[in-house]
Amino acid sequence: MDCARIHRRPVASAVAAALLVAVPLTVAGAAPAAAESVGLPVVRSALGPDEPCVEASAKKAEAESWTSGALGLERARTLSRGAGTTVAVVDTGVGQDAAGLSGRVTALGGAGQDCVGHGTFAAGLIAATRTGGKGLAGVAPQARILAVQGTDQRGQATADQLAGGIREAADAGASVIYVGQALATGKSVLTAAVEYASEKDALVVAPLAPDALPKDRATGDTEKPEPWYWPAAAPGVLAVTDYGPDGGRPDNAPVVPGADLAAPGDAVVSVGPEGSGHFIGSGASLAAANVAGAAALVRTRHPDMSAAEVSRQLTVAAYPAAPPRLDPYAALTAVLTERQGDRPRPAAAVVPPAFSAVPRERALVIAGVGGGIVLLVAAAAVVIPRGRARGWRPAGR
């Protein structure tokens, strides 16, 4: 059995869930509704063998998603918009003409086509820009997207496919590599691929666990999650889990410990491979896309930071929770020292030397002698006058 990576980040004390104000999504031609009930088609991470490719969505979310307010993106974008940074999307592909991404997508091989839609959806969360000043914008709306095939055409992935995609992305010069899949196997090949990317100073961001777990064919029950998934468990990867508009996670979400960061990933809205409509989705893979976008913001603002330093900037500057919650503005502005400051220590107490008994004994002797002399003088003062009065004769004479 593979051994999980041990996360050494200190666990923050339990805190109340963050108060998140959900911005209502308005579907064209419909009344405002909550994010989970707007009627948008749901993006999926894979398709069945006989299912057709995803069709363009006929509905739009005209208002900004709740994730923008939760992450403080308007404020963060005043400092960085991701210009000059390339984010690789190792997933099902990215539609090169997708709304909000056209002109900023470079595809390797056949990755410019996305039958499933998941890779395009993630790319939109990372880098989509508003069309005509309206609609949705990704975290880093000026970043470039490098589309890399990490699955087959139906969205099914193997460890070798993902590892190959990570290596291709690193060779192509991507400074942030988003991986949209989480596999229960493939420790060796994926760890080696991540190490290869790290040597080229690329930060790999991946979901801590799959968006959903399959059901047992015999019982119909959802299978239990594995203790770890790859490449998220590999050293150097920024492993991400998700939360929703209420600060919690869906009841059926896989529970796996060891996340480096949590980010909005439930009831999030983005673009599809074709058309100008929108889709809705949930899962850790979508939270990882938001983190990849934030990493692009940091890499643009701090181009001298290494991939490891960007990872540290995102995690240490995050909102203190368990796990820490992504805060792009804090990551852009925090000044972190190379090491933790020394804990202040009080000065050592000055203890006087042990008390010597010699002075005390000397004082007692002097006092005793002095007292004796006083008594003798007092006695003399009584006896001598009486002796003189009697002529110094013994008593009775």
Side-chain angles (χ1 to χ4, degrees):
M1 180 176 292
D2 294 338
C3 294
R5 174 182 54 163
I6 299 175
H7 295 271
R8 292 183 172 84
R9 197 174 320 286
V11 178
S13 58
V15 296
L19 298 177
L20 304 176
V21 180
V23 179
L25 295 168
T26 304
V27 180
E36 63 271 17
S37 60
V38 294
L40 295 175
V42 177
V43 68
R44 296 162 59 187
S45 59
L47 300 175
D50 300 324
E51 289 185 272
C53 292
V54 64
E55 297 181 354
S57 172
K59 296 185 178 182
K60 287 186 178 180
E62 296 180 342
E64 192 68 82
S65 172
W66 70 271
T67 59
S68 178
L71 294 176
L73 293 182
E74 290 301 325
R75 190 182 185 197
R77 292 190 194 112
T78 63
L79 302 176
S80 175
R81 298 175 67 85
T85 298
T86 297
V87 181
V89 175
V90 182
D91 203 355
T92 60
V94 178
Q96 291 184 279
D97 295 325
L101 294 172
S102 181
R104 289 185 294 124
V105 178
T106 301
L108 299 183
Q113 301 293 322
D114 185 9
C115 178
V116 180
H118 189 273
T120 304
F121 190 99
L125 292 175
I126 294 168
T129 188
R130 293 188 180 96
T131 303
K134 296 182 180 180
L136 304 176
V139 177
Q142 291 182 355
R144 296 193 61 84
I145 295 295
L146 176 68
V148 182
Q149 199 74 41
T151 71
D152 64 17
Q153 295 301 311
R154 318 305 295 174
Q156 301 297 331
T158 67
D160 287 334
Q161 286 173 321
L162 287 185
I166 293 171
R167 290 175 179 272
E168 288 180 17
D171 287 337
S175 57
V176 179
I177 301 175
Y178 162 80
V179 180
Q181 307 292 320
L183 303 180
T185 59
K187 173 184 177 180
S188 298
V189 64
L190 286 169
T191 298
V194 170
E195 183 178 356
Y196 181 82
S198 298
E199 290 174 353
K200 292 183 175 290
D201 198 33
L203 175 61
V204 179
V205 182
L208 180 69
D211 294 343
L213 296 174
K215 291 187 176 181
D216 188 286
R217 294 182 178 180
T219 64
D221 297 331
T222 301
E223 295 180 1
K224 293 182 178 180
E226 298 292 335
W228 50 81
Y229 291 88
W230 308 93
V237 176
L238 199 51
V240 183
T241 191
D242 54 303
Y243 66 84
D246 62 353
R249 303 184 68 221
D251 293 338
N252 60 347
V255 178
V256 178
D260 294 307
L261 274 177
D266 299 325
V268 296
V269 179
S270 187
V271 298
E274 298 178 353
S276 58
H278 297 117
F279 292 76
I280 192 169
S282 292
S285 69
L286 308 182
N290 280 318
V291 173
L297 296 181
V298 176
R299 299 222 80 162
T300 294
R301 183 169 173 82
H302 301 291
D304 294 333
M305 281 189 178
S306 67
E309 289 170 335
V310 172
S311 179
R312 179 173 181 262
Q313 192 79 10
L314 290 167
T315 53
V316 176
Y319 181 82
R325 296 196 170 190
L326 176 66
D327 187 340
Y329 184 81
L332 291 169
T333 57
V335 178
L336 306 179
T337 58
E338 290 299 320
R339 64 181 182 87
Q340 292 184 346
D342 294 331
R343 182 177 299 178
R345 297 180 180 179
V350 178
V351 180
F355 177 77
S356 175
V358 173
R360 179 172 178 272
E361 293 173 355
R362 184 183 298 119
L364 290 175
V365 170
I366 294 173
V369 172
I373 293 174
V374 170
L375 291 175
L376 290 174
V377 171
V382 175
V383 171
I384 292 174
R386 293 184 67 181
R388 286 176 178 173
R390 292 177 61 85
W392 299 105
R393 294 190 301 271
R397 290 186 180 183

